[in-house]
Amino acid sequence: MGALTIGIDIGGTSVRASVVDDRGTMLDTLRAATPPTAQALEHCLDRLTGELTSRWTAEAVGLAIAGFLTPDREIVRFAPHLPWREARVAAEMSARVGLPVFAEHDANSAAIAEYRFGAAARGHNTLVLAIGTGIGAGLLLDGEIYRGSYGVAPELGHLTVVPDGRPCSCGKRGCWERYCSGTALVDNVVELLADDDWGRSQLAADVAADPGSLTGRRVAGAAADGDAVAAAAMAGFAGSLGQGLAMIADIFDPDLIVLAGGVGAASGLFLDEAREHYARLVTGPGHRQLARIRGTQLGESAGVIGAAEIARQGLLRTSER
Ligand SMILES: [Zn+2]
């Protein structure tokens, strides 16, 4: 067996750390709530790493971070849900824990994991879309992460799909993730309920009794049960997904699209409909090959497994120098 590495997926609500082997198997996993300050978050990362290295011999640590990193991944410039600003996260952690530490954008980590061990294997130009609260995107061109010129590509969730549409936390309006995410499913239901009387919908009755019970997961569950308002919300979502995929196909012409994230994992509910919209809206339909679209194989573990793989690749690069 090759070296073991530690992958840590740092999300806005939770931190997950795992010892992972060279086949992408998670051997030991720890979780913690994401602390609110940089100092407490760094202490949390050190503690999880220390606990894992007390039980396993790991040679490096990879961090999957939801934020903007410089192209060399040395500095976390900005992370909307994390306390780091212009922070030298990897080097500082390496000095504290005594192991090499490598950082990567979380969507890129997930894309690398799916490419090495999951649904993106054998893809050439592959887009991994993580659809959850918002949209995260990782793009692999011939197996290599595409970062753009300044390290922030591809920020697909904030493409404008509806001019003057729903307001977005990024400050713009009508962004794709406001129509194609778990949050969008909730907004779709709220708008549908305001427009019409959905007398026989269980979801409508539940929302009337307890508005706080309405979540993307609940809408997906109700759609699976055949609820009419949930199905209509899901149809809107599928239409927007297909619209976005057609735009992306016109720019990158991928051969494989993997849908990941909490909503992406429920792709059985919307994939056929989204594919129809995609096939119709792409430029020159019927005269070009379309990307295969499939669901994630690694699910919510993709970020952790990808981070560990980045640590492994980082070690290899260092040893080759
Ligand atoms: Zn936006």
Side-chain angles (χ1 to χ4, degrees):
M1 192 165 69
L4 300 178
T5 54
I6 293 173
I8 308 184
D9 191 0
I10 307 163
T13 53
S14 70
V15 178
R16 200 147 75 121
S18 250
V19 175
V20 181
D21 71 13
D22 60 354
R23 285 173 298 185
T25 308
M26 297 162 67
L27 304 174
D28 192 357
T29 302
L30 300 172
R31 282 186 184 77
T34 307
T37 67
Q39 196 183 15
L41 175 55
E42 285 154 12
H43 179 74
C44 170
L45 300 181
D46 298 354
R47 181 177 61 78
L48 295 176
T49 302
E51 252 182 76
L52 291 172
T53 52
S54 73
R55 300 200 280 265
W56 304 83
T57 303
E59 299 193 8
V61 179
L63 306 176
I65 299 170
F68 286 0
L69 280 74
T70 48
D72 60 9
R73 275 93 73 214
E74 298 284 336
I75 296 170
V76 177
R77 304 211 63 183
F78 168 71
H81 307 295
L82 297 174
W84 287 316
R85 298 289 181 272
E86 307 294 342
R88 233 165 238 290
V89 173
E92 288 177 4
M93 181 173 171
S94 178
R96 294 193 309 269
V97 301
L99 287 171
V101 178
F102 303 90
E104 182 55 271
H105 187 274
D106 64 340
N108 289 346
S109 297
I112 286 169
E114 295 283 358
Y115 182 73
R116 288 281 288 119
F117 308 113
R122 292 187 297 281
H124 295 289
N125 298 316
T126 304
L127 176 71
V128 177
L129 268 191
I131 308 175
T133 311
I135 293 179
L139 186 65
L140 290 153
L141 303 181
D142 287 324
E144 293 291 324
I145 288 289
Y146 176 73
R147 303 176 187 285
S149 303
Y150 306 107
V152 299
E155 206 49 65
L156 301 177
H158 301 281
L159 291 175
T160 304
V161 295
V162 179
D164 298 320
R166 293 172 181 167
C168 182
S169 57
C170 75
K172 301 197 297 177
R173 277 181 172 273
C175 294
W176 190 27
E177 69 174 35
R178 300 299 296 115
Y179 297 86
C180 184
S181 63
T183 321
L185 282 174
V186 168
D187 290 349
N188 288 358
V189 167
V190 169
E191 287 181 7
L192 287 161
L193 292 179
D195 283 352
D196 235 319
D197 177 25
W198 299 77
R200 284 195 307 281
S201 161
Q202 184 61 45
L203 183 63
D206 291 351
V207 173
D210 177 11
S213 69
L214 186 58
T215 62
R217 198 176 291 268
R218 174 78 183 88
V219 179
D225 293 340
D227 185 277
V229 68
M234 195 56 88
F237 167 93
S240 182
L241 176 58
Q243 179 191 6
L245 293 181
M247 289 165 62
I248 291 161
D250 279 347
I251 300 168
F252 296 115
D253 191 23
D255 63 318
L256 178 63
I257 295 165
V258 175
L259 300 179
V263 182
S267 61
L269 289 171
F270 54 78
L271 190 51
D272 287 345
E273 197 168 345
R275 197 184 267 124
E276 272 175 39
H277 288 283
Y278 160 56
R280 183 171 51 80
L281 293 171
V282 78
T283 305
H287 303 282
R288 60 189 283 178
Q289 259 179 287
L290 297 176
R292 291 168 293 146
I293 307 173
R294 54 163 74 146
T296 169
Q297 267 180 29
L298 302 176
E300 291 179 332
S301 302
V304 167
I305 295 171
E309 179 61 18
I310 281 145
R312 187 181 317 284
Q313 292 175 4
L315 273 182
L316 276 177
R317 274 199 315 277
T318 317
S319 68
E320 281 164 5
R321 270 185 209 144

